[in-house]
């Protein structure tokens, strides 16, 4: 098969756990649709496939070279992988950053792994003892059924996207790559900052506990090495290293100064030689709750979030370039936002890398839409056990990123509250408790908007798309009396357990419909009545934002949304990321201290950032 002259998305896909040797497998793969999901019986495992595709773009995306938006119950991929000679004698790990939805991988005709879930990575052992003279044949089958409960995010179950659902993604949609590792080798570390002690706790799993082996972690900054510590790696499945920083080299990670420390992690053998090594980084920051405030490093930091859905016209859920990921953060900052709710999708990890470097606050979310099977009222949501397992994989992948300040496993799981415990109740509580167990350092929102099913969850929220600022203000005013706006069914039937005084924010609002270039007959929508002019839009935006900024019990908000997404045209920017309104006025409306910041001494007002050109 001819090689691509330019490998798409060639950057290292796992920037917080970097080994020097690796091979990007993006580019041209053999490809074949399998509409009857009969490919295994028809011999697709053992023969060349009839078409080609550009990985990591899905077959629905134009950038894949296929560009077929129809349903794909099953698809097949095939390519050869030649192991470099210098990898001889090592194990070779084959990584898939994301395959939607059920994947099976064969290597030289032998099944090497299976994985369920379209958003999280998995790894296969390409070979137990790599032979540099051997070329391996990798075959992947991805199944993506149209019906049934499945964590789909915003993928449409109708042929054409409609409302707030868009084009589908099937199969490989993030980078495929491989790397060599020695027999005993490092696993991905968990890096936990401890601001109170000015230290990091680094937990490092190892593949084997060999006598005499140690883990060594070194922390450095721009001026050089700060601290180094070791721990035995032959007693526990994971070695744990404690790294207190010198007082004169302590520098917190915060939006105004997103300082990152470099980490080097070594596995030492019994003779003290380096058996395996990897590079990482970390930010020293804390997240806490005090009354109605969510604190960053002990200070109130009003979260001016924007809803980011991570879709692109030519790549769908896959960014066309790494620069496009970074650019989305720059565009949000230019509009006055200091963070984003990553909506209904587990974003590519490279996005979080850029957020870490930019000081951009992030709420990690799971793409849980797809559990609503349309059953009887009160039992319409049918999430399965795999929702919990997939979400835990996402939390584990992203645990060490300082930009993440909160977790949101579910979104708008509307279902009537009644006197029976339902599957939704079980899974919501399970995902909440699993998140708290996996990460006790960040607040967890049990379900964004509705249905809240965990009494006393860390935070509480609502979604409100009222377009009149005066009416919006009246709806939000109840928070002062401990009776905030809560989403409910149209007849008033409750979806959620009552509010219990937690920190509260309006995590979806606005969504102002604005497309100055809309053509007759074009599919276009937003919330409420479309403004007649940009001036009206700007006044509406400032009024809505002002209501929330001036509420002393509101810890943040999330405005819908960063960009238009296909027919949903309520973004600050167009779908192609060009400007469609005066972004400086959007920024100015947000660029003042919020009431909760003014009420707490030492709180930081937003700082000025140079707006990038658009």
């Amino acid at each position: 098969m001819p090689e691509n002259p330019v490998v798409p998305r060639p950057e290292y896909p796992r920037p917080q756990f970097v080994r020097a040797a690796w091979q990007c497998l993006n580019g041209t793969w053999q490809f074949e649709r399998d509409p009857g999901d009969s490919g295994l019986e028809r011999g697709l495992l053992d023969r060349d496939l009839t078409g080609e595709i550009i990985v990591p773009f899905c077959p629905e995306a134009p950038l894949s070279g296929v560009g077929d938006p129809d349903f794909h119950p099953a698809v097949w991929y095939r390519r050869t992988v030649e192991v470099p000679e210098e990898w001889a004698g090592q194990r070779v790990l084959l990584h898939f950053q994301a395959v939607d939805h059920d994947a099976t991988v064969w290597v030289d005709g032998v099944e090497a792994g299976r994985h369920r879930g379209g958003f999280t990575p998995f790894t296969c052992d390409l070979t137990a003892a790599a032979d540099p003279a051997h070329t391996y044949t990798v075959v992947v089958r991805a199944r993506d059924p149209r019906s049934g409960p499945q964590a789909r995010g915003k993928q449409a179950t109708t042929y054409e996207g409609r409302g707030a659902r868009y084009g589908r993604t099937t199969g490989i949609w993030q980078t495929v790559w491989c790397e060599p590792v020695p027999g005993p080798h490092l696993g991905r570390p968990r890096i936990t900052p401890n601001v109170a002690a000015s230290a990091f706790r680094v937990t490092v799993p190892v593949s084997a506990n060999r006598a005499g082996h140690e883990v060594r972690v070194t922390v450095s900054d721009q001026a050089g090495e700060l601290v180094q510590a070791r721990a035995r790696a032959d007693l526990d499945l994971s070695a744990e290293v404690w790294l207190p920083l010198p007082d004169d080299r302590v520098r917190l990670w915060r939006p105004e100064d997103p300082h990152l420390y470099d980490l080097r992690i070594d596995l030492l053998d019994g003779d003290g030689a380096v058996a395996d090594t990897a590079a990482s980084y970390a930010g020293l920051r804390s997240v806490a709750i005090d009354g109605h405030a969510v604190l960053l490093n002990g200070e109130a930091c009003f979260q001016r979030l924007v809803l980011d859905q991570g879709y692109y016209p030519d790549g769908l859920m896959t960014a066309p370039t790494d620069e496009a990921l970074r650019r989305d953060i720059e565009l949000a900052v230019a509009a006055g936002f200091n963070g984003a709710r990553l909506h209904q999708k587990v974003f590519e990890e490279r996005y979080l890398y850029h957020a870490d470097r930019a000081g951009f606050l992030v709420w990690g979310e799971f793409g849980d839409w797809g559990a609503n099977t349309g059953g009887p009222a009160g039992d319409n949501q049918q999430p399965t056990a795999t929702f919990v397992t997939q979400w835990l994989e996402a939390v584990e992948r992203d645990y060490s990123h300082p930009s993440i300040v909160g977790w949101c496993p579910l979104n708008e799981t509307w279902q009537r509250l009644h006197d029976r415990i339902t599957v939704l109740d079980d899974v919501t509580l399970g995902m909440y408790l699993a998140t708290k167990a996996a990460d006790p350092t960040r607040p967890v929102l049990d379900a964004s908007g509705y249905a809240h099913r965990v009494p006393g969850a860390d935070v509480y929220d609502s979604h409100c798309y009222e377009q009149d600022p005066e009416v919006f203000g009246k709806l939000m005013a109840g928070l002062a009396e401990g009776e905030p706006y809560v989403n409910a069914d149209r007849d008033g039937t409750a979806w959620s357990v009552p509010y219990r005084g937690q920190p509260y924010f309006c995590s979806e609002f606005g969504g102002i419909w604005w497309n100055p270039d809309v053509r007759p007959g074009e599919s276009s929508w937003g919330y409420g009545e479309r403004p007649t002019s940009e001036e009206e839009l700007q006044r509406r935006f400032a009024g809505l934002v002002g209501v929330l900024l001036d509420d002393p019990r509101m810890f943040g908000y999330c405005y819908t949304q960063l960009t238009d997404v296909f027919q949903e045209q309520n973004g600050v920017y167009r779908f192609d990321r060009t400007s469609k309104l005066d972004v400086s006025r959007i920024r100015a409306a947000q660029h003042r201290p919020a009431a909760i910041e003014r009420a707490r001494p030492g709180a930081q007002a937003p700082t000025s950032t140079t707006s990038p050109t658009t």
Side-chain angles (χ1 to χ4, degrees), residues 9 13 25-26 29 55-58 95-100 118-121 169 171-177 317-319 345-350 397:
R9 298 301 307 273
L25 300 178
N26 292 344
W29 289 53
V55 169
F57 303 107
C58 69
H95 302 293
F96 295 85
Q97 291 302 109
V99 181
D100 196 345
F119 297 107
T120 48
T169 293
I172 298 171
W173 69 276
Q174 289 186 33
T175 292
V176 184
W177 59 295
M317 287 203 301
T318 312
K345 174 187 170 186
V346 178
F347 276 45
E348 300 175 55
E349 193 176 353
R350 294 282 310 183
R397 190 199 77 173

Side-chain angles (χ1 to χ4, degrees), residues 20-44:
W22 73 291
Q23 184 178 21
C24 182
L25 300 178
N26 292 344
T28 302
W29 289 53
Q30 292 183 14
F31 176 78
E32 190 166 331
R33 302 169 182 83
D34 184 9
D37 193 11
S38 58
L40 195 60
E41 295 93 324
R42 292 187 292 109
L44 267 63

Side-chain angles (χ1 to χ4, degrees), residues 41-204:
E41 295 93 324
R42 292 187 292 109
L44 267 63
L45 175 61
D46 304 312
R47 65 162 173 82
D48 285 341
L49 305 179
T50 57
E52 291 184 344
I53 193 170
I54 305 300
V55 169
F57 303 107
C58 69
E60 294 91 344
L63 285 175
S64 71
V66 178
D68 181 359
D70 208 346
F71 295 94
H72 300 290
V75 293
W76 290 73
Y77 298 79
R78 183 185 185 94
R79 72 157 288 164
T80 56
V81 178
E82 186 171 345
V83 175
E85 291 185 8
E86 56 268 29
W87 294 6
Q90 301 183 78
R91 293 174 59 187
V92 180
L93 303 182
L94 176 63
H95 302 293
F96 295 85
Q97 291 302 109
V99 181
D100 196 345
H101 182 266
D102 288 358
T104 306
V105 180
W106 293 268
V107 176
D108 287 346
V110 178
E111 185 175 319
R114 298 182 184 186
H115 182 261
R116 168 165 288 174
F119 297 107
T120 48
F122 64 98
T123 299
C124 302
D125 198 337
L126 186 62
T127 174
D131 178 357
H134 187 77
T135 298
Y136 298 91
T137 299
V138 175
V139 175
V140 181
R141 179 190 61 200
R143 288 169 160 154
D144 194 14
R146 178 176 180 175
S147 60
Q150 176 182 309
R152 305 176 191 275
K154 288 298 192 79
Q155 300 179 63
T157 55
T158 55
Y159 175 71
E160 292 185 344
R162 61 182 63 173
R165 289 174 173 81
Y166 323 118
R168 286 163 296 283
T169 293
T170 299
I172 298 171
W173 69 276
Q174 289 186 33
T175 292
V176 184
W177 59 295
C178 60
E179 63 174 342
V181 296
H185 58 273
L186 300 165
R188 180 160 184 163
R190 277 179 152 234
I191 305 168
T192 306
N194 189 314
V195 170
S198 299
F200 291 107
R201 184 177 72 248
V202 181
T203 305
V204 186

Side-chain angles (χ1 to χ4, degrees), residues 472-485 547 551:
F472 183 67
K474 292 178 180 178
L475 291 172
M476 293 292 122
L479 182 58
E481 308 299 326
E483 297 181 358
Y485 179 79
V547 166
D551 189 329

Side-chain angles (χ1 to χ4, degrees), residues 461-532:
D461 75 338
S462 67
H463 297 172
C464 183
Y465 286 107
E466 170 58 49
Q467 296 294 297
D468 185 326
E470 183 177 354
V471 177
F472 183 67
K474 292 178 180 178
L475 291 172
M476 293 292 122
L479 182 58
E481 308 299 326
E483 297 181 358
Y485 179 79
V486 177
N487 298 107
D489 211 338
R490 292 180 179 179
D491 63 2
T493 302
W495 285 334
S496 299
V497 296
Y499 174 66
R500 293 195 176 186
Q502 307 101 307
Y504 177 98
F505 72 133
C506 186
S507 64
E508 285 188 31
F509 76 107
I512 303 171
W513 180 13
W514 182 244
N515 180 355
D517 306 320
V518 66
R519 299 180 299 273
E522 179 182 351
S523 178
S524 174
W525 77 274
Y527 291 94
E529 186 175 344
R530 191 162 73 99
T532 58

